[in-house]
Amino acid sequence: MTEDKERYIAELRSQGLVVLTKAEHSANEEYKEAIAHWSDTARREAQYVFCPRDANEVSKAIAFATKFSLEIAIKGGGHSCSGASASNDVLIDLGKHINTVAYNEKEQLVTVGGGAVWQQVDEELSKHGRATVGGTVQSTGVGGLTVGGGYGFLSGQYGLAIDNLVRAQVVLADGTIANADDKGVYMDLFWGIRGGGSNFGPVTSFTFKTHPVGQVWTGLMTFPPILLEPFFNAAQSWFRQAKDNEAANIFIGCSPLGPGLVLLPFYNGSEEDAKKSFGEFLAMNPGNGPPGTEIGMHPYMYANTLQNLMTTAGDHKAFKATKFNHWDIPRFEKLFKDFSQLVGAEPSDEQDVKDLAADPAITGSSVVIEFYPHNHIGKLKSGDTAFANRAAGFGMLFVPRWKNPDLNEKALQWARARAAEVDQREEKLGGSVKGKGGEGTEGYSNYGSGNERSQDVFGGNYARLQGLKAKYDPGKVFNKWFPIEPTKA
Ligand SMILES: Cc1cc2nc3c(=O)[nH]c(=O)nc-3n(C[C@H](O)[C@H](O)[C@H](O)COP(=O)(O)OP(=O)(O)OC[C@H]3O[C@@H](n4cnc5c(N)ncnc54)[C@H](O)[C@@H]3O)c2cc1C
């Protein structure tokens, strides 16, 4: 069997396909780079790493893995914390070569390789005064972010990344290269990849609509804990009147001074209007963020660099998301206290929290609350694409960061427990939007911790996805991200 594999690999290499193996290359920088992830928690030492140059080579890699019944992981930008883009068997690394970005002036569309990161898209489109809905952190992969939905600062105006997707090229489990759009023979597949994640195979190219964009008003503002109540009250006044061209992210994070609050406002319009809209925050005399995050008018791309310092690669990290609708100060006070205990700024009686607080990387943790005006996201219903998380609400994300791998489970549990508390309080305050009208009952899938049930993530779309899975991947070759059980024949 091993000899068969070796012969097969030798044959693929003779055809020009780059294959790195753990046996031959584990000390090699190229191999290490390929298996590296944003979070060390997601790192696996794949036996075979394929670095294809095009869809045809991706197809060959899939054929190898299926012939020998090896687990496949597809890696785009490598930002998943859950291990969805990592495998001990076969890793198909799209990021190495399938990462070109080409803007078509006539069509005003951009075509992006499945392994590109958003920085490349931002940079190319900025040359043309345009942008698409993409990640708010430039190192994030286009691939994973898009197939899982995709929120960005322009979501209020133009919806999700998938709402801007015009066509995509997908390599299916049987090796077929499918060109999918909303009219052709792969119309159903096009529905499935818009929210169904990597369940149908690697997307080797995405073509998105683009939009004109000039200077935007953005930057970071910081607020001390003493201002927690007026800060969250200001946030409420702001979002009640916010227009589609606005967005905001709120962070509970830690500076050398200890835990505090950070606001990232985004306004795609004039400085004068922006200052009016975010005036209540400005009146609180906020502090500045680190150099390079100054509030003011900047190129659109600048907004997507503001979180760079808070989101560096390395260490272990976990994601856990939820969604809420009721804006109440006690919730935020409790969250702030929990966070302060996590980072050791306040005492805790819980041994697990004490253990986490002692970790040298824990102060890099954060809690993120995201607000994107809902009109355009809600124009489509949950069943219109496979993405089942369109209801209005505030996304909340827990991101513990730590060094010691022995704390992996404790950190995950901390994040999951906090999300569960948010959900319980939401029920108390009048009920959650989650699970209504075909919505999934989990938070944003791309922020999942990995243990969510696929049925809960995909909500009312799960049955249809099962049918598609039976059609395009009945053998569950792609099974790493909220796996879908194919409908029985
Ligand atoms: C620092 C940071 C900032 C983020 N900011 C945002 C944000 O602003 N908006 C937002 O919506 N989300 C955001 N996310 C979440 C992000 O969307 C997910 O982590 C997403 O999975 C990242 O995609 P990736 O390609 O980097 O990940 P990977 O780890 O490479 O992949 C994640 C999943 O997507 C699959 N995948 C990747 N590429 C492809 C492809 N080409 N074809 C098919 N499947 C593929 C993988 O197989 C895996 O299942 C952020 C995450 C991080 C860590």
Side-chain angles (χ1 to χ4, degrees), residues 409-458:
E409 203 42 42
K410 290 181 183 178
L412 257 176
Q413 283 314 327
W414 180 87
R416 286 175 180 152
R418 300 290 81 71
E421 281 170 11
V422 171
D423 292 350
Q424 282 153 16
R425 180 142 184 93
E426 197 63 8
E427 286 306 326
K428 231 183 185 167
L429 291 171
S432 166
V433 288
K434 295 197 295 187
K436 309 259 163 69
E439 290 280 292
T441 52
E442 289 290 347
Y444 176 31
S445 51
N446 264 339
Y447 292 162
S449 66
N451 74 333
E452 296 83 357
R453 289 185 341 136
S454 303
Q455 292 91 323
D456 297 336
V457 168
F458 296 119

Side-chain angles (χ1 to χ4, degrees), residues 26 59 81 102 110 165 168 200 204 225 281 297 323 341 349 388 393 449:
S26 61
S59 182
C81 301
V110 65
L165 190 64
F200 300 102
T204 41
F281 292 106
M297 294 301 287
K323 193 171 185 176
Q341 289 178 334
D349 297 334
S449 66

Side-chain angles (χ1 to χ4, degrees), residues 270-448:
S270 75
E271 180 160 22
E272 197 189 342
D273 291 345
K275 283 183 169 168
K276 260 188 230 146
S277 186
F278 287 94
E280 215 169 311
F281 292 106
L282 292 169
M284 289 162 70
N285 202 15
N288 297 324
T293 65
E294 291 78 10
I295 284 279
M297 294 301 287
H298 299 283
Y300 161 76
M301 207 164 55
Y302 179 88
N304 296 329
T305 65
L306 293 169
Q307 296 175 62
N308 285 355
L309 281 178
M310 311 179 216
T311 57
T312 52
D315 299 330
H316 293 275
K317 303 174 195 99
F319 268 13
K320 177 66 196 174
T322 188
K323 193 171 185 176
F324 67 99
N325 282 70
H326 296 90
W327 197 262
D328 72 317
I329 299 297
R331 178 206 301 275
F332 300 123
E333 286 170 343
K334 166 86 171 63
L335 276 174
F336 197 86
K337 187 179 167 71
D338 288 340
F339 180 81
S340 301
Q341 289 178 334
L342 176 75
V343 299
E346 275 197 38
S348 167
D349 297 334
E350 282 180 53
Q351 190 54 47
D352 286 359
V353 177
K354 286 184 194 170
D355 293 345
L356 287 164
D359 188 274
I362 202 74
T363 51
S365 306
S366 57
V367 179
V368 189
I369 300 165
E370 298 183 328
F371 181 84
Y372 301 110
H374 180 253
N375 290 342
H376 281 261
I377 297 168
K379 265 189 183 165
L380 296 184
K381 299 286 161 275
S382 280
D384 290 341
T385 63
F387 184 77
N389 207 337
R390 286 186 185 267
F394 309 102
M396 187 182 287
L397 173 62
F398 296 91
V399 194
R401 178 173 183 145
W402 68 100
K403 262 199 192 328
N404 178 358
D406 296 342
L407 294 173
N408 287 4
E409 203 42 42
K410 290 181 183 178
L412 257 176
Q413 283 314 327
W414 180 87
R416 286 175 180 152
R418 300 290 81 71
E421 281 170 11
V422 171
D423 292 350
Q424 282 153 16
R425 180 142 184 93
E426 197 63 8
E427 286 306 326
K428 231 183 185 167
L429 291 171
S432 166
V433 288
K434 295 197 295 187
K436 309 259 163 69
E439 290 280 292
T441 52
E442 289 290 347
Y444 176 31
S445 51
N446 264 339
Y447 292 162

Side-chain angles (χ1 to χ4, degrees), residues 37-38 73-81 84-85 94 113-116 134-137 139-147 149-152 197-199 201-204 206 307 311 319 370 372 444 446-447 480-481:
H37 280 72
W38 182 71
I74 306 156
K75 183 182 161 200
H79 274 49
S80 160
C81 301
S85 56
L94 301 175
T136 62
V137 175
S139 59
T140 315
V142 173
L145 185 137
T146 303
V147 294
Y151 291 90
S198 49
N199 272 297
V203 177
T204 41
F206 297 92
Q307 296 175 62
T311 57
F319 268 13
E370 298 183 328
Y372 301 110
Y444 176 31
N446 264 339
Y447 292 162
K480 298 281 299 175
W481 189 90

